[in-house]
Amino acid sequence: MKHIDIVKILKDKDHFSGQQLTLCGWARTVRSSKGICFIELNDGSAFRGIQLVIDESTCPDYALASKQGVGAALKATGTVVSSYKNPEIPEINVSSFEVLGEAPKDYPLQKKRHTLEFLRTIAHLRARTNTFNAMFRIRSALSIAIHRFFQERGFTYVHTPILTGSDCEGAGEMFRVTTLDPCKAKPAGMSDAEFYKDDFFGCKAGLTVSGQLEGETLAMALGKIYTFGPTFRAENSNTARHAAEFWQIEPEVAFAELEDLIELAEAMIKSIISDVLDNCPEEMAFFDKHYDNGLVDKLRTLVQQDFVVLEYTEAIRILQESKVQFDYPVQWGCDLQTEHERYITEKVYNKPVFVINYPAKIKSFYMKQNSDSKTVAATDLLLPGVGEIIGGSQREDNLEKLERRMKELNMEEEDYWWYLDLRRFGTAPHSGFGLGFERLLLYITGIGNIRDVAIFPRTKGNLQF
Ligand code: 4AD
Ligand code: MG
């Protein structure tokens, strides 16, 4: 269909002024008074739309236009002029008008403002609202910013598998993938190997929780790699920050130790947030105005700040000395709960904090064991208001130490033979982290629930679309 994207007219009004153009889009608002119909038309090419002015005395399609409802798909031809109210803003004096698809009165987006909870029930239509138009535009810009950051630094983008046999985090949160009869349970006493030998892959399979283990194999050849793809967790956590399907960015770097990883993570967060601020000013102003006053200033401050690096042991000491009555008591060896993370980032530092060197007992098998034999060279990046957005570590590159740890955790070594091979053939120090894409979007937009940053959220009990 021959037509022009609205964004082009908005960006270069002077160039198009006086020209006769055809536009397509959906009506956001329709109102008529004294023989003039005004339609706010949005085609998704920009956050904003453009106003169509249909004058009864000059446009034969006035009657048709004025009876259109919000949500109708329209095509209009007319001349670009300056808005009567603000000469900086272009609008269209329509000469001919066509309805591509009507939207009757039961179109659910009649009101100007709906609650986010209501919009979740119409996820197939919510992208037509300002909030989700802005959100998904920022989602796109953030993705590109991430690729740009890694590409500029010589990282190779790799696609790790979604179907996998290895549970990277060992937390038993893998969704199972099977073609076996779902009604047939595994007989008592039968091994997994025996039961799954007739399954599609001839072994137990699931959806990946992380591309890290496969990513490590590529870093051991390509040096610096990153993944950017969907990961899945059958976590029973019904919170505002947990989704069953979420996107993760997982860089893995050969010849990098924990401090190199922290430097990389800090540079990445600052670079991609700056990119979004530069590239999505209207969308960010919208979230600042409607959802989180001061958001843009908060992000501008963040990209100027030095992030804090805090030993886990020190974090425990701070929490214990705080005299705050936490729901979960604090002692060395405990996992940090959201309330602890929030206290540290919001009350103590009010900036991003890398907590480092966690107790081995609460972290995954692959993390580099420190010489104190109690802690591992791991780090979580905590952000005020959101909590953990990054989890990473230096990897255990010593074969015996890794095997010993896997035995302690009753892991089957033969399931990981290829992972252990990396420690047999040309092993080297290496490190990586996983950034939760939706968690970062929560922080950047000031939105409080992961269900409102994912396009079609998948959470426990929710897979409607
Ligand atoms: O801390 P996690 O579990 O680390 C890993 O998976 C490592 N294998 C990453 C690596 O080193 N390559 O997860 C990484 C990040 C978390 O910090 C969090 O931001 C996000 O993934 N995340 C979730 N986001 C949304 N919903 C969930 N259920 C999430 N679980 C983790
Ligand atoms: Mg984690």
Side-chain angles (χ1 to χ4, degrees):
M1 226 178 240
K2 217 168 158 42
H3 70 287
I4 185 168
D5 285 347
I6 290 173
V7 68
K8 290 192 182 152
I9 308 172
L10 295 178
K11 276 198 173 148
D12 200 356
K13 177 184 122 328
D14 292 342
H15 173 76
F16 291 105
S17 197
Q19 289 191 30
Q20 165 111 342
L21 300 171
T22 298
L23 289 70
C24 296
W26 294 271
R28 281 290 182 83
T29 57
V30 181
R31 65 196 163 85
S32 301
S33 95
K34 296 181 194 144
I36 302 183
C37 172
F38 300 97
I39 298 180
E40 177 75 15
L41 192 74
N42 189 299
D43 68 354
S45 65
F47 176 58
R48 271 190 297 149
I50 201 163
Q51 178 155 272
L52 305 179
V53 182
I54 304 124
D55 189 328
E56 191 172 18
S57 60
T58 53
C59 179
D61 303 313
Y62 169 82
L64 178 67
S66 60
K67 66 171 202 238
Q68 292 312 309
V70 172
L74 310 172
K75 184 176 168 190
T77 300
T79 312
V80 180
V81 295
S82 293
S83 156
Y84 171 71
K85 278 195 197 140
N86 179 352
E88 293 302 306
I89 296 180
E91 57 184 33
I92 308 295
N93 263 348
V94 175
S95 50
S96 72
F97 181 90
E98 203 182 306
V99 178
L100 302 174
E102 286 187 344
K105 283 274 174 287
D106 57 349
Y107 178 62
L109 294 171
Q110 298 290 345
K111 273 200 300 182
K112 249 217 149 5
R113 195 103 193 243
H114 295 276
T115 66
L116 293 175
E117 287 77 10
F118 168 71
L119 292 174
R120 273 177 221 152
T121 68
I122 49 164
H124 61 304
L125 298 175
R126 67 179 181 170
R128 303 180 186 197
T129 63
N130 280 335
T131 298
F132 288 93
N133 179 325
M135 177 62 75
F136 300 151
R137 217 170 269 291
I138 290 177
R139 217 185 137 101
S140 166
L142 184 62
S143 305
I144 300 307
I146 289 166
H147 281 297
R148 192 179 302 129
F149 175 84
F150 286 112
Q151 291 295 319
E152 279 173 359
R153 281 161 184 76
F155 282 66
T156 301
Y157 174 36
V158 301
H159 305 104
T160 47
I162 287 169
L163 293 171
T164 181
S166 48
D167 180 358
C168 169
E169 292 307 299
E173 288 164 348
M174 274 225 291
F175 282 101
R176 203 170 115 191
V177 172
T178 182
T179 50
L180 292 179
D181 178 352
C183 299
K184 250 193 203 151
K186 189 172 83 166
M190 187 185 271
S191 69
D192 273 0
E194 180 64 20
F195 184 65
Y196 291 106
K197 82 177 183 327
D198 297 327
D199 203 347
F200 188 87
F201 295 108
C203 62
K204 195 173 177 179
L207 297 179
T208 188
V209 299
S210 160
Q212 176 197 325
L213 303 190
E214 294 89 350
E216 281 186 54
T217 70
L218 294 151
M220 286 294 113
L222 298 164
K224 294 188 281 187
I225 64 97
Y226 68 105
T227 72
F228 189 167
T231 50
F232 308 87
R233 294 193 191 179
E235 259 173 303
N236 218 346
S237 334
N238 202 359
T239 77
R241 296 174 309 132
H242 286 88
E245 176 179 305
F246 61 99
W247 284 61
Q248 231 188 122
I249 296 91
E250 298 188 88
E252 193 68 37
V253 191
F255 317 115
E257 294 170 324
L258 186 64
E259 61 180 354
D260 305 308
L261 191 69
I262 289 174
E263 248 176 58
L264 178 72
E266 183 167 337
M268 175 195 71
I269 295 288
K270 289 178 173 173
S271 161
I272 60 186
I273 289 181
S274 299
D275 258 26
V276 169
L277 287 171
D278 290 348
N279 293 325
C280 304
E282 284 188 62
E283 291 84 349
M284 290 305 302
F286 174 84
F287 282 112
D288 191 312
K289 181 165 174 210
H290 296 287
Y291 290 99
D292 188 1
N293 284 158
L295 176 70
V296 170
D297 280 347
K298 175 187 92 176
L299 295 174
R300 286 205 194 290
T301 308
L302 177 115
V303 300
Q304 308 286 345
Q305 281 175 329
D306 285 335
F307 295 5
V308 176
V309 178
L310 179 70
E311 290 279 342
Y312 166 87
T313 303
E314 182 62 8
I316 294 296
R317 194 188 60 74
I318 292 171
L319 291 167
Q320 284 174 333
E321 289 178 2
S322 71
K323 302 283 183 286
V324 175
Q325 280 295 313
F326 293 112
D327 293 339
Y328 293 86
V330 179
Q331 59 185 34
W332 200 95
C334 75
D335 210 350
L336 296 183
Q337 303 295 327
T338 306
E339 54 175 348
H340 308 141
E341 295 178 345
R342 294 193 67 160
Y343 181 81
I344 288 169
T345 49
E346 291 164 29
K347 296 281 184 304
V348 183
Y349 295 104
N350 195 28
K351 51 176 160 164
V353 179
F354 287 102
V355 177
I356 60 167
N357 296 327
Y358 282 83
K361 268 201 294 212
I362 56 168
K363 288 290 182 187
S364 303
F365 76 98
Y366 52 73
M367 296 185 174
K368 177 86 189 155
Q369 297 159 34
N370 287 328
S371 55
D372 62 10
S373 68
K374 285 195 318 204
T375 61
V376 284
T379 186
D380 280 1
L381 175 61
L382 314 179
L383 290 187
V386 178
E388 177 196 336
I389 64 154
I390 283 179
S393 76
Q394 189 169 334
R395 316 307 189 190
E396 184 52 80
D397 53 288
N398 177 290
L399 180 63
E400 283 93 68
K401 285 187 183 171
L402 185 57
E403 284 179 327
R404 204 176 316 131
R405 186 73 187 127
M406 290 174 69
K407 273 207 188 76
E408 281 169 13
L409 295 169
N410 292 322
M411 293 172 67
E412 299 288 346
E413 260 197 42
E414 55 268 35
D415 292 348
Y416 293 85
W417 64 273
W418 53 273
Y419 187 70
L420 293 166
D421 261 4
L422 302 179
R423 281 73 184 165
R424 285 193 188 97
F425 309 125
T427 191
H430 61 289
S431 302
F433 65 75
L435 165 69
F437 185 66
E438 282 77 10
R439 296 249 179 112
L440 181 60
L441 268 173
L442 287 174
Y443 186 74
I444 291 181
T445 57
I447 289 286
N449 197 308
I450 200 157
R451 290 162 181 79
D452 303 322
V453 301
I455 298 187
F456 286 104
R458 273 84 179 88
T459 52
K460 193 162 163 50
N462 172 34
L463 188 108
Q464 201 187 345
F465 297 92

